[in-house]
């Protein structure tokens, strides 16, 4: 009986801990396409609120996700916002160093 009580207590603690933390991060559905030094790059299913440093991106972008994208002039989503590209939209001739989705 004592072992059963300890197992039940451990299960209760585990359930309490799991209820306090999210099980997975939200991610945008779809992909974001951009160009770095003439080479096309793709971010698939970007995490909501995560900053992606992409390097010296320039040219056309396609935001085929369900989240808006903010393009920053600096690395790590710093500096000025170069553009905001709405979900499902494209933009031409944009230069940026990093991008964040949704949030």
């Amino acid at each position: 009986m004592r072992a059963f009580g300890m197992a039940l207590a451990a299960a209760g603690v585990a359930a309490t801990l799991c209820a306090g933390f999210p099980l997975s991060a939200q991610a945008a559905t779809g992909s974001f396409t951009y160009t770095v030094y003439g080479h096309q790059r793709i971010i698939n299913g970007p995490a909501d609120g995560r900053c992606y440093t992409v390097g010296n991106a320039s040219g056309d972008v396609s935001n085929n996700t369900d989240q808006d994208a903010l393009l920053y002039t600096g690395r790590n989503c710093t500096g000025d916002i170069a553009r905001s590209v709405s979900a499902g939209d494209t933009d031409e001739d944009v230069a940026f160093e990093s991008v964040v989705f949704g949030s």
Side-chain angles (χ1 to χ4, degrees):
M1 185 72 168
R2 184 171 183 218
F4 177 73
M6 290 178 68
L8 189 59
V13 169
T16 301
L17 288 174
C18 287
F21 301 101
L23 296 177
S24 64
Q26 292 290 331
T29 301
S31 62
F32 179 80
T33 306
Y34 61 98
T35 304
V36 176
Y37 297 117
H39 298 282
Q40 188 177 55
R41 304 282 189 236
I42 299 173
I43 300 172
N44 287 308
D48 186 27
R50 176 180 167 200
C51 179
Y52 293 85
T53 297
V54 298
N56 294 318
S58 63
D60 299 347
V61 296
S62 282
N63 183 9
N64 294 312
T65 72
D66 59 355
Q67 298 287 327
D68 293 344
L70 291 177
L71 313 179
Y72 287 86
T73 58
R75 292 183 172 276
N76 302 316
C77 296
T78 60
D80 295 327
I81 295 175
R83 300 272 168 87
S84 175
V85 183
S86 298
D89 206 359
T90 60
D91 209 337
E92 298 176 353
D93 196 31
V94 63
F96 64 103
E97 291 272 335
S98 55
V99 57
V100 66
F101 297 86
S103 69

